[in-house]
Amino acid sequence: EDKVVQSPLSLVVHEGDTVTLNCSYEVTNFRSLLWYKQEKKAPTFLFMLTSSGIEKKSGRLSSILDKKELSSILNITATQTGDSAIYLCAVISTSGTYKYIFGTGTRLKVLA
Amino acid sequence: NAGVTQTPKFRILKIGQSMTLQCTQDMNHNYMYWYRQDPGMGLKLIYYSVGAGITDKGEVPNGYNVSRSTTEDFPLRLELAAPSQTSVYFCASSPEHPPLHFGNGTRLTVT
């Protein structure tokens, strides 16, 4: 059974701290891994990582895919209260159908 | 620039009632999905569709039905509501490549 596991489940930090969120996966026919940020409503897309693009960076956020370890990390440096959200990891598997498999998410709270 | 639109935003149902959650997208995406999100449980796939007239079950389809008569619309039907269906429901769409684009969700309570 395809599975995506995120850790930690929740995290509380202070503004200015650096955080690392983890995502590991067991899927057949891995295609790509995506990170989403979910505040109050719909998840919004952050990054997509594939075999040909294993590192992405946008401002204070960066992500790396480790295909050998079947995992990815999302780093946020100099955290701000606006980074408080649930961060979701999803893996696309093409085993028979085109499906996104989501992890449980990491709830991040940044204190002022 | 509407994207994926879900209605209603909130709904309270009594056990045994039925309802339809509406989802429409204006991006001409072929792929559409319904997810439910329970606290601490991530997103679970209920049903998905790869084009008009084609639907398939996801991980948790029991108690739900879908149809896809047009590219734009992908309604989710609950026939006999149960407390276990209390959740937040997200509709999403994508073209043939990622990422998924989500609607703002429908919060459903069954009492």
Side-chain angles (χ1 to χ4, degrees), chain A residues 29-69:
Chain A
N29 297 327
F30 171 88
R31 175 174 169 175
S32 51
L33 184 146
L34 293 85
W35 285 98
Y36 282 84
K37 177 182 181 183
Q38 185 179 21
E39 295 175 90
K40 294 200 183 302
K41 293 185 177 178
T44 54
F45 172 69
L46 293 174
F47 297 119
M48 184 171 74
L49 303 159
T50 66
S51 300
S52 57
I54 61 170
E55 187 167 355
K56 292 287 175 72
K57 184 175 170 62
S58 176
R60 297 177 295 103
L61 277 67
S62 63
S63 184
I64 296 173
L65 176 68
D66 187 336
K67 285 208 71 181
K68 185 178 175 185
E69 296 296 326

Side-chain angles (χ1 to χ4, degrees), chain B residues 31-50:
Chain B
Y31 294 89
M32 294 188 76
Y33 305 80
W34 274 105
Y35 288 90
R36 60 177 286 173
Q37 187 176 34
D38 301 323
M41 297 298 290
L43 289 159
K44 297 290 186 185
L45 181 64
I46 306 171
Y47 271 94
Y48 66 100
S49 169
V50 299

Side-chain angles (χ1 to χ4, degrees), chain A residues 67-84:
Chain A
K67 285 208 71 181
K68 185 178 175 185
E69 296 296 326
L70 305 184
S71 64
S72 173
I73 60 170
L74 176 68
N75 278 320
I76 308 174
T77 60
T79 51
Q80 302 170 356
T81 54
D83 295 325
S84 296

Side-chain angles (χ1 to χ4, degrees), chain B residues 70-108:
Chain B
T70 66
T71 299
E72 295 76 22
D73 299 308
F74 191 40
L76 178 72
R77 178 90 178 153
L78 283 71
E79 290 295 349
L80 290 169
S84 60
Q85 293 177 304
T86 294
S87 190
V88 180
Y89 291 83
F90 287 100
C91 179
S93 72
S94 76
E96 279 70 27
H97 53 83
L100 279 179
H101 301 260
F102 285 90
N104 282 328
T106 294
R107 184 175 295 275
L108 176 67

